[in-house]
Coordinates of all heavy atoms in Angstrom, one line a residue:
M1 N 100.2 79.4 76.4 CA 100.2 79.4 77.9 C 99.2 78.3 78.4 O 98.1 78.2 77.9 CB 99.8 80.7 78.4 CG 99.6 80.8 79.9 SD 99.2 82.4 80.5 CE 99.6 82.3 82.2
T2 N 99.6 77.5 79.3 CA 98.7 76.6 80.0 C 97.9 77.3 81.0 O 98.5 78.0 81.8 CB 99.6 75.5 80.6 OG1 100.4 74.8 79.6 CG2 98.6 74.4 81.3
I3 N 96.6 77.1 81.0 CA 95.7 77.8 81.9 C 95.5 76.9 83.1 O 95.0 75.8 83.0 CB 94.4 78.2 81.2 CG1 94.7 79.2 80.1 CG2 93.4 78.8 82.2 CD1 93.5 79.5 79.3
T4 N 95.8 77.4 84.3 CA 95.6 76.7 85.5 C 94.9 77.6 86.5 O 94.9 78.8 86.3 CB 96.9 76.2 86.1 OG1 97.8 77.3 86.4 CG2 97.6 75.2 85.2
S5 N 94.5 77.1 87.6 CA 93.8 77.9 88.6 C 94.7 78.9 89.3 O 96.0 78.6 89.3 CB 93.1 77.0 89.6 OG 94.0 76.3 90.3
I6 N 94.2 80.0 89.8 CA 95.0 80.9 90.5 C 95.0 80.6 92.0 O 93.9 80.5 92.6 CB 94.4 82.4 90.3 CG1 94.4 82.7 88.8 CG2 95.2 83.4 91.1 CD1 93.7 84.0 88.5
K7 N 96.1 80.3 92.6 CA 96.2 79.8 93.9 C 96.9 80.8 94.9 O 96.8 80.6 96.1 CB 97.0 78.5 94.0 CG 96.3 77.4 93.2 CD 97.0 76.1 93.2 CE 96.3 75.1 92.3 NZ 97.1 74.0 91.9
S8 N 97.5 81.9 94.4 CA 98.2 82.8 95.2 C 98.2 84.2 94.6 O 97.8 84.3 93.4 CB 99.6 82.3 95.4 OG 100.3 82.4 94.2
K9 N 98.6 85.2 95.4 CA 98.7 86.5 94.8 C 99.8 86.6 93.8 O 99.7 87.4 92.8 CB 98.9 87.5 95.9 CG 97.7 87.7 96.8 CD 97.8 88.8 97.8 CE 96.5 88.9 98.6 NZ 96.5 90.0 99.5
T10 N 100.8 85.8 93.9 CA 101.8 85.7 92.8 C 101.3 85.2 91.5 O 101.5 85.8 90.5 CB 103.0 84.8 93.3 OG1 103.5 85.4 94.5 CG2 104.1 84.8 92.2
D11 N 100.5 84.2 91.6 CA 99.8 83.6 90.4 C 98.9 84.7 89.8 O 98.8 84.9 88.6 CB 98.9 82.4 90.8 CG 99.7 81.2 91.1 OD1 100.9 81.2 90.9 OD2 99.1 80.3 91.7
L12 N 98.2 85.4 90.7 CA 97.3 86.5 90.2 C 98.0 87.6 89.5 O 97.6 88.0 88.4 CB 96.5 87.1 91.4 CG 95.6 88.3 91.1 CD1 94.5 87.9 90.2 CD2 95.1 88.9 92.4
E13 N 99.2 88.0 90.0 CA 100.0 89.0 89.3 C 100.4 88.5 88.0 O 100.4 89.3 87.0 CB 101.2 89.4 90.2 CG 100.8 90.1 91.5 CD 102.0 90.3 92.4 OE1 103.2 90.1 92.0 OE2 101.8 90.8 93.5
E14 N 100.9 87.3 87.8 CA 101.3 86.7 86.6 C 100.1 86.7 85.6 O 100.3 87.1 84.4 CB 101.9 85.3 86.8 CG 103.2 85.3 87.5 CD 103.7 83.9 87.8 OE1 103.1 82.9 87.2 OE2 104.6 83.8 88.6
V15 N 99.0 86.3 86.0 CA 97.8 86.3 85.1 C 97.4 87.7 84.7 O 97.1 87.9 83.5 CB 96.6 85.5 85.8 CG1 95.4 85.7 85.0 CG2 97.0 84.1 86.0
L16 N 97.5 88.6 85.6 CA 97.1 90.0 85.2 C 98.1 90.6 84.2 O 97.7 91.3 83.3 CB 97.1 90.9 86.5 CG 95.9 90.6 87.4 CD1 96.1 91.4 88.7 CD2 94.6 90.9 86.8
K17 N 99.4 90.2 84.3 CA 100.3 90.6 83.3 C 100.0 90.0 81.9 O 100.1 90.7 80.9 CB 101.7 90.3 83.7 CG 102.3 91.1 84.8 CD 103.7 90.6 85.2 CE 104.2 91.4 86.4 NZ 105.4 90.9 87.0
R18 N 99.6 88.7 81.9 CA 99.3 88.1 80.7 C 98.0 88.7 80.1 O 97.9 88.9 78.9 CB 99.1 86.6 80.9 CG 98.7 85.8 79.7 CD 99.8 85.8 78.7 NE 99.5 85.0 77.5 CZ 99.9 85.2 76.3 NH1 100.8 86.1 76.1 NH2 99.5 84.5 75.3
I19 N 97.0 89.0 80.9 CA 95.8 89.7 80.5 C 96.1 91.0 79.8 O 95.6 91.3 78.7 CB 94.8 89.9 81.6 CG1 94.2 88.5 82.0 CG2 93.7 90.9 81.3 CD1 93.3 88.6 83.3
E20 N 97.1 91.7 80.4 CA 97.5 93.0 79.8 C 98.1 92.8 78.4 O 97.8 93.5 77.4 CB 98.5 93.7 80.7 CG 98.9 95.1 80.2 CD 99.8 95.8 81.2 OE1 99.9 95.4 82.3 OE2 100.5 96.7 80.7
D21 N 98.9 91.7 78.2 CA 99.4 91.4 76.9 C 98.4 91.0 75.9 O 98.5 91.3 74.7 CB 100.4 90.2 77.0 CG 101.7 90.6 77.8 OD1 102.0 91.8 78.0 OD2 102.3 89.6 78.3
L22 N 97.3 90.4 76.4 CA 96.3 89.9 75.5 C 95.1 90.9 75.3 O 94.2 90.6 74.5 CB 95.7 88.6 76.0 CG 96.6 87.4 76.1 CD1 96.0 86.3 76.9 CD2 97.0 86.9 74.7
W23 N 95.1 92.0 75.9 CA 94.0 92.9 76.1 C 93.3 93.2 74.7 O 92.1 93.3 74.6 CB 94.3 94.1 76.8 CG 93.1 94.9 77.2 CD1 92.7 96.1 76.7 CD2 92.1 94.5 78.1 NE1 91.5 96.5 77.3 CE2 91.1 95.5 78.2 CE3 91.9 93.4 78.9 CZ2 90.0 95.4 79.0 CZ3 90.8 93.3 79.7 CH2 89.8 94.3 79.7
K24 N 94.1 93.5 73.7 CA 93.6 93.9 72.4 C 93.3 92.7 71.4 O 93.2 92.9 70.2 CB 94.5 94.9 71.8 CG 94.5 96.2 72.6 CD 95.3 97.3 71.9 CE 95.3 98.6 72.8 NZ 96.0 99.6 72.2
S25 N 93.3 91.5 71.9 CA 93.1 90.3 71.1 C 91.7 90.3 70.5 O 90.7 90.8 71.1 CB 93.3 89.0 71.9 OG 94.6 89.0 72.4
E26 N 91.6 89.8 69.3 CA 90.3 89.7 68.6 C 89.6 88.5 69.2 O 90.1 87.5 69.6 CB 90.6 89.4 67.1 CG 91.2 90.5 66.4 CD 90.3 91.7 66.3 OE1 89.1 91.6 66.1 OE2 90.8 92.9 66.3
P27 N 88.2 88.7 69.4 CA 87.4 87.6 69.9 C 87.4 86.4 68.9 O 87.7 86.5 67.8 CB 86.0 88.2 69.9 CG 86.2 89.7 69.8 CD 87.5 89.9 69.1
C28 N 87.2 85.2 69.5 CA 87.2 84.0 68.8 C 88.5 83.6 68.1 O 88.5 82.9 67.1 CB 86.0 84.0 67.8 SG 84.4 84.2 68.5
T29 N 89.6 84.1 68.7 CA 90.9 83.7 68.2 C 91.5 82.9 69.4 O 91.0 82.9 70.5 CB 91.8 84.9 67.9 OG1 92.0 85.7 69.0 CG2 91.2 85.7 66.7
R30 N 92.7 82.3 69.2 CA 93.3 81.6 70.3 C 93.6 82.5 71.4 O 93.4 82.2 72.6 CB 94.6 80.9 69.7 CG 95.3 80.0 70.7 CD 96.5 79.3 70.1 NE 97.5 79.4 71.1 CZ 98.6 80.1 71.1 NH1 98.9 80.7 70.0 NH2 99.5 80.0 72.0
E31 N 94.1 83.7 71.1 CA 94.5 84.7 72.1 C 93.2 85.3 72.8 O 93.2 85.5 74.0 CB 95.3 85.9 71.5 CG 96.7 85.5 71.1 CD 96.7 84.8 69.7 OE1 95.7 84.8 69.0 OE2 97.8 84.3 69.4
G32 N 92.2 85.5 72.0 CA 90.9 86.0 72.5 C 90.3 85.0 73.5 O 89.7 85.4 74.5
N33 N 90.3 83.8 73.1 CA 89.8 82.7 74.0 C 90.6 82.6 75.3 O 90.0 82.4 76.4 CB 89.7 81.4 73.3 CG 88.7 81.4 72.2 OD1 87.8 82.2 72.1 ND2 88.9 80.5 71.2
E34 N 91.9 82.7 75.2 CA 92.8 82.7 76.4 C 92.4 83.9 77.3 O 92.3 83.7 78.5 CB 94.2 82.7 76.0 CG 95.2 82.7 77.1 CD 96.7 82.8 76.8 OE1 97.0 82.7 75.5 OE2 97.5 82.9 77.7
L35 N 92.3 85.1 76.7 CA 91.9 86.2 77.5 C 90.6 86.0 78.2 O 90.5 86.3 79.4 CB 91.8 87.5 76.5 CG 91.3 88.8 77.2 CD1 92.3 89.2 78.2 CD2 91.1 89.8 76.1
D36 N 89.6 85.5 77.6 CA 88.3 85.2 78.2 C 88.5 84.3 79.4 O 87.9 84.5 80.5 CB 87.3 84.6 77.2 CG 86.8 85.6 76.2 OD1 86.9 86.8 76.5 OD2 86.3 85.2 75.2
A37 N 89.2 83.2 79.2 CA 89.5 82.2 80.2 C 90.2 82.8 81.4 O 89.8 82.6 82.6 CB 90.2 81.0 79.7
L38 N 91.2 83.6 81.2 CA 92.0 84.2 82.2 C 91.2 85.2 83.0 O 91.3 85.3 84.3 CB 93.3 84.9 81.7 CG 94.3 83.9 81.1 CD1 95.5 84.7 80.5 CD2 94.8 82.9 82.1
V39 N 90.4 86.0 82.3 CA 89.5 87.0 83.0 C 88.5 86.3 83.9 O 88.3 86.7 85.1 CB 88.8 87.9 82.0 CG1 87.7 88.7 82.7 CG2 89.8 88.8 81.3
T40 N 88.0 85.2 83.5 CA 87.1 84.4 84.3 C 87.8 83.8 85.5 O 87.3 83.9 86.7 CB 86.5 83.2 83.5 OG1 85.8 83.8 82.4 CG2 85.6 82.3 84.3
L41 N 89.0 83.4 85.4 CA 89.8 82.9 86.5 C 90.1 84.0 87.5 O 90.0 83.8 88.7 CB 91.1 82.3 86.1 CG 91.1 80.9 85.4 CD1 92.5 80.6 84.9 CD2 90.6 79.9 86.3
V42 N 90.4 85.2 87.1 CA 90.6 86.3 88.0 C 89.3 86.7 88.7 O 89.4 86.9 89.9 CB 91.2 87.5 87.2 CG1 91.2 88.8 88.1 CG2 92.6 87.3 86.7
E43 N 88.2 86.7 88.0 CA 86.9 87.0 88.7 C 86.7 86.0 89.8 O 86.3 86.4 90.9 CB 85.8 87.0 87.7 CG 85.8 88.2 86.7 CD 84.8 88.1 85.6 OE1 84.3 87.0 85.3 OE2 84.5 89.2 85.0
D44 N 86.8 84.7 89.5 CA 86.6 83.7 90.5 C 87.5 83.8 91.7 O 87.1 83.7 92.8 CB 86.8 82.3 89.8 CG 85.7 81.9 88.9 OD1 84.6 82.6 88.9 OD2 85.8 81.0 88.1
Y45 N 88.8 84.1 91.4 CA 89.8 84.3 92.5 C 89.4 85.4 93.4 O 89.4 85.3 94.6 CB 91.2 84.4 91.9 CG 92.2 84.7 93.0 CD1 92.8 83.6 93.6 CD2 92.6 86.0 93.3 CE1 93.8 83.8 94.6 CE2 93.6 86.2 94.3 CZ 94.1 85.1 95.0 OH 95.1 85.3 96.0
E46 N 89.1 86.6 92.7 CA 88.8 87.7 93.5 C 87.5 87.5 94.3 O 87.4 87.9 95.5 CB 88.6 88.9 92.6 CG 89.9 89.5 92.0 CD 89.7 90.6 91.1 OE1 88.6 90.8 90.6 OE2 90.7 91.3 90.8
L47 N 86.5 86.9 93.8 CA 85.3 86.6 94.5 C 85.5 85.7 95.7 O 85.0 86.0 96.8 CB 84.2 86.0 93.6 CG 82.9 85.8 94.2 CD1 82.3 87.1 94.7 CD2 81.9 85.1 93.2
S48 N 86.3 84.7 95.5 CA 86.5 83.7 96.6 C 87.6 84.1 97.6 O 87.6 83.6 98.7 CB 86.9 82.3 96.0 OG 88.1 82.4 95.4
N49 N 88.4 85.1 97.3 CA 89.5 85.4 98.2 C 89.4 86.9 98.6 O 89.3 87.1 99.8 CB 90.9 85.2 97.5 CG 91.2 83.7 97.4 OD1 91.4 83.0 98.3 ND2 91.1 83.3 96.1
I50 N 89.5 87.8 97.7 CA 89.6 89.2 98.1 C 88.2 89.7 98.7 O 88.2 90.4 99.7 CB 90.0 90.1 96.9 CG1 91.4 89.7 96.5 CG2 89.9 91.6 97.2 CD1 91.9 90.2 95.2
V51 N 87.1 89.4 98.1 CA 85.8 89.8 98.6 C 85.6 89.2 100.0 O 85.1 89.9 100.9 CB 84.7 89.5 97.6 CG1 83.3 89.7 98.2 CG2 84.9 90.3 96.3
T52 N 85.9 87.9 100.1 CA 85.7 87.2 101.4 C 86.6 87.9 102.5 O 86.1 88.1 103.6 CB 86.1 85.7 101.3 OG1 85.3 85.2 100.2 CG2 85.9 85.0 102.6
E53 N 87.8 88.3 102.1 CA 88.7 89.0 103.1 C 88.0 90.3 103.6 O 88.0 90.6 104.8 CB 90.0 89.3 102.5 CG 90.9 88.1 102.3 CD 92.2 88.5 101.6 OE1 92.5 89.7 101.4 OE2 92.9 87.5 101.1
R54 N 87.4 91.0 102.7 CA 86.8 92.3 103.0 C 85.6 92.1 103.9 O 85.3 92.9 104.8 CB 86.5 93.1 101.8 CG 87.8 93.6 101.1 CD 87.5 94.5 99.9 NE 88.7 94.9 99.3 CZ 88.9 95.2 98.1 NH1 87.8 95.1 97.2 NH2 90.0 95.6 97.6
I55 N 84.8 91.1 103.5 CA 83.6 90.8 104.3 C 83.9 90.4 105.8 O 83.2 90.8 106.7 CB 82.8 89.6 103.6 CG1 82.2 90.1 102.3 CG2 81.7 89.1 104.6 CD1 81.5 89.0 101.5
N56 N 85.0 89.7 105.9 CA 85.4 89.3 107.3 C 86.2 90.3 108.1 O 86.5 90.1 109.2 CB 86.3 88.0 107.2 CG 85.5 86.9 106.6 OD1 84.3 86.8 106.8 ND2 86.2 85.9 106.0
Q57 N 86.4 91.5 107.5 CA 87.1 92.6 108.3 C 86.2 93.1 109.3 O 85.0 93.2 109.2 CB 87.5 93.7 107.3 CG 88.7 93.4 106.4 CD 89.0 94.5 105.5 OE1 88.2 95.4 105.3 NE2 90.2 94.5 104.9
D58 N 86.8 93.6 110.4 CA 86.1 94.3 111.5 C 85.5 95.6 110.9 O 86.1 96.2 110.1 CB 87.0 94.5 112.7 CG 87.4 93.3 113.4 OD1 86.7 92.3 113.3 OD2 88.5 93.3 114.0
E59 N 84.4 95.9 111.4 CA 83.8 97.2 111.1 C 84.5 98.3 111.8 O 85.0 98.2 112.9 CB 82.3 97.2 111.5 CG 81.4 96.3 110.6 CD 79.9 96.5 110.9 OE1 79.5 97.6 111.3 OE2 79.2 95.5 110.8
I60 N 84.5 99.5 111.1 CA 85.1 100.7 111.7 C 84.0 101.6 112.0 O 83.2 101.9 111.1 CB 86.1 101.3 110.7 CG1 87.3 100.3 110.4 CG2 86.7 102.6 111.3 CD1 88.2 100.8 109.3
Y61 N 84.0 102.1 113.2 CA 82.9 103.0 113.7 C 83.5 104.4 113.6 O 84.6 104.7 114.1 CB 82.5 102.7 115.1 CG 81.5 103.7 115.6 CD1 80.2 103.7 115.2 CD2 81.9 104.7 116.5 CE1 79.3 104.6 115.6 CE2 81.0 105.6 117.0 CZ 79.7 105.6 116.5 OH 78.8 106.5 117.0
V62 N 82.8 105.3 112.9 CA 83.2 106.7 112.8 C 82.1 107.6 113.3 O 81.0 107.5 112.8 CB 83.6 107.1 111.4 CG1 84.0 108.5 111.3 CG2 84.8 106.2 110.9
D63 N 82.4 108.4 114.3 CA 81.4 109.3 114.8 C 81.6 110.7 114.0 O 82.6 111.4 114.3 CB 81.5 109.6 116.3 CG 80.4 110.4 116.9 OD1 79.6 111.0 116.1 OD2 80.4 110.5 118.1
I64 N 80.7 111.0 113.1 CA 80.9 112.1 112.3 C 80.9 113.4 113.1 O 81.6 114.4 112.7 CB 79.8 112.2 111.2 CG1 79.9 111.0 110.3 CG2 79.8 113.5 110.4 CD1 78.8 110.9 109.3
D65 N 80.3 113.5 114.2 CA 80.3 114.7 115.0 C 81.6 115.0 115.6 O 81.9 116.1 116.0 CB 79.2 114.5 116.2 CG 77.8 114.4 115.7 OD1 77.5 115.0 114.6 OD2 77.0 113.7 116.4
H66 N 82.5 114.0 115.7 CA 83.8 114.3 116.2 C 84.9 114.4 115.2 O 86.1 114.4 115.5 CB 84.2 113.1 117.2 CG 83.4 113.1 118.4 ND1 82.4 112.2 118.6 CD2 83.5 113.9 119.5 CE1 81.8 112.5 119.8 NE2 82.5 113.5 120.4
L67 N 84.5 114.6 113.9 CA 85.5 114.8 112.9 C 85.9 116.2 112.7 O 85.3 117.1 113.0 CB 85.0 114.3 111.5 CG 84.9 112.8 111.4 CD1 84.3 112.4 110.1 CD2 86.2 112.1 111.6

């Protein structure tokens, strides 16, 4: 598999499927190295996209006394 950056949620889904296939790979093998690289790409994508989306969401105010 050629490793490229994750640019969309579709790319993310494909990479997550590949990670699942590689999950039990031995370290320091071709598959293990691919797994490490893909996990790093997912972490970077999530940090720059998903976390940023959550930070930019409006706050929700809940008054516990009215629950």
Side-chain angles (χ1 to χ4, degrees):
M1 175 180 198
T2 303
I3 298 175
T4 60
S5 62
I6 301 171
K7 298 177 182 163
S8 67
K9 289 187 178 183
T10 302
D11 291 345
L12 177 63
E13 290 173 10
E14 291 175 11
V15 170
L16 291 174
K17 287 178 187 173
R18 181 64 180 154
I19 287 173
E20 186 176 339
D21 293 341
L22 296 170
W23 193 250
K24 294 184 180 180
S25 299
E26 294 293 323
C28 300
T29 62
R30 189 176 137 247
E31 291 83 10
N33 292 339
E34 181 181 350
L35 176 61
D36 287 341
L38 294 176
V39 168
T40 300
L41 286 175
V42 169
E43 289 173 341
D44 290 345
Y45 177 83
E46 288 178 342
L47 183 60
S48 64
N49 291 288
I50 296 171
V51 172
T52 302
E53 287 175 12
R54 290 184 181 153
I55 289 172
N56 293 332
Q57 287 180 341
D58 293 332
E59 289 186 29
I60 299 172
Y61 175 77
V62 177
D63 185 353
I64 296 176
D65 296 330
H66 290 103
L67 290 178

